[in-house]
Amino acid sequence: MRWIWAAVAATAPLLASPVAASAPLNATASTAAQRPDHVVVVVMENKRYDAVIGHRRTPYITALARRGANFTAAYGETHPSQPNYLALFSGSTQGVTDNACIRHPFDAPNLGRQLLDAGLTFTGYAEALPSTGFTGCSAGTYVRRHNPWVDFADVPADLNRPLRDLPSRWGQLPTVAFVVPDLCHDMHNCPKADADRWMRQTLGSYADWAESHNSLLILTFDEDNGTDGNHIPTLVLGAGVRPGDRTQRVDHYAVLRTIEDAYGLPPLGAAAQATPLPLS
């Protein structure tokens, strides 16, 4: 079944509860909504919008933006990287203002725990993570500062997995999966073309599959490179998503709110004041 998203008022959740996914909410909602079977969220690094979307070295990501909803006014919350990842995963930067390794996990609400408590599933997949449940600050091209789910005490360690554990059969994915490339494939240390190629090879078949299997691919960046007001690429592709540019200003809190609304979860922190991404 194809499903349609509706942008609603910033303080009103899109879905009242997981079991009411197909029912209209109130007079302000223009359509009903059907929750996706799977959402995959990919986060890349440190690039301004026009350095990726439409750039000759990132043809695949540009093609994804043209196939889906391309947010031309998406912005990170702050600099440097780490607080933006925390904002996306928990609706708050948790008071973090730097990239220093977080030694003591937060006892705070977060998307992973929300999904588990609602009877849904979550897994975070990090490229170059040495082993399941690894809590070290770095290992080769892996860094913990790009892996927000490991920073919350109530997310089980066995849901912190290396990218090699990403299912090859997309129907076996958890309800929501975060996929974080390593320092090369996230555009941090290596040419953009390498990351573009990685995206096509790693998730290209998922992008194709999602469009016909009631699922979503979300690609966003943590921050820009400090040259364009933290203006970042963000796109959403999948079943029921109308292709085209979206010009409203959005941020990581809006991305989080969209996922939470889809599954009838209460918005966390600043996501409560964010307007969901308009996808239909």
Side-chain angles (χ1 to χ4, degrees), residues 12-267:
L14 182 60
L15 301 179
S17 69
V19 296
S22 59
L25 295 180
N26 51 49
T28 66
S30 60
T31 65
Q34 177 84 18
R35 63 178 177 173
D37 293 333
H38 305 280
V39 176
V40 174
V41 182
V42 183
V43 189
M44 290 189 173
E45 279 277 310
N46 295 26
K47 291 292 179 287
R48 56 188 284 170
Y49 175 87
D50 60 3
V52 177
I53 305 301
H55 197 281
R56 63 186 178 84
R57 291 193 174 92
T58 52
Y60 182 69
I61 293 174
T62 296
L64 291 179
R66 300 294 177 252
R67 285 167 56 185
N70 175 44
F71 291 87
T72 63
Y75 291 84
E77 284 67 48
T78 187
H79 298 290
S81 294
Q82 187 164 236
N84 295 290
Y85 284 87
L86 295 169
L88 175 61
F89 193 68
S90 71
S92 170
T93 62
Q94 305 299 332
V96 173
T97 59
D98 56 30
N99 280 333
C101 187
I102 295 170
R103 300 289 185 175
H104 302 288
F106 301 111
D107 181 14
N110 60 84
L111 177 62
R113 188 70 251 169
Q114 278 190 305
L115 290 160
L116 298 176
D117 289 345
L120 303 168
T121 52
F122 165 80
T123 304
Y125 300 93
E127 189 177 22
L129 185 76
S131 60
T132 298
F134 179 75
T135 59
C137 297
S138 63
T141 55
Y142 165 81
V143 289
R144 175 170 168 160
R145 68 180 184 268
H146 297 167
N147 179 350
W149 52 90
V150 74
D151 293 326
F152 292 86
D154 59 1
V155 177
D158 65 352
L159 302 184
N160 177 29
R161 292 188 166 272
L163 183 61
R164 63 177 175 269
D165 290 347
L166 187 72
S168 57
R169 295 184 178 180
W170 301 122
Q172 296 176 353
L173 281 165
T175 309
V176 176
F178 272 54
V179 174
V180 174
D182 68 6
L183 285 172
C184 182
H185 295 139
D186 65 4
M187 300 194 192
H188 192 284
N189 289 354
C190 296
K192 290 181 287 190
D194 291 357
D196 192 70
R197 189 178 309 111
W198 176 91
M199 188 70 189
R200 177 176 55 80
Q201 292 173 347
T202 305
L203 289 164
S205 67
Y206 174 75
D208 298 340
W209 182 90
E211 291 179 309
S212 58
H213 289 82
N214 193 39
S215 296
L216 282 182
L217 171 66
I218 301 174
L219 171 63
T220 190
F221 281 63
D222 66 330
E223 59 177 334
D224 74 357
N225 61 349
T227 64
D228 194 27
N230 224 355
H231 186 195
I232 57 172
T234 297
L235 65 90
V236 184
L237 175 77
V241 177
R242 176 178 57 83
D245 289 347
R246 309 293 197 274
T247 59
Q248 77 176 56
R249 186 181 177 103
V250 301
D251 56 19
H252 295 119
Y253 298 129
V255 175
L256 175 59
R257 176 66 183 266
T258 302
I259 298 168
E260 290 174 318
D261 279 8
Y263 297 108
L265 306 173

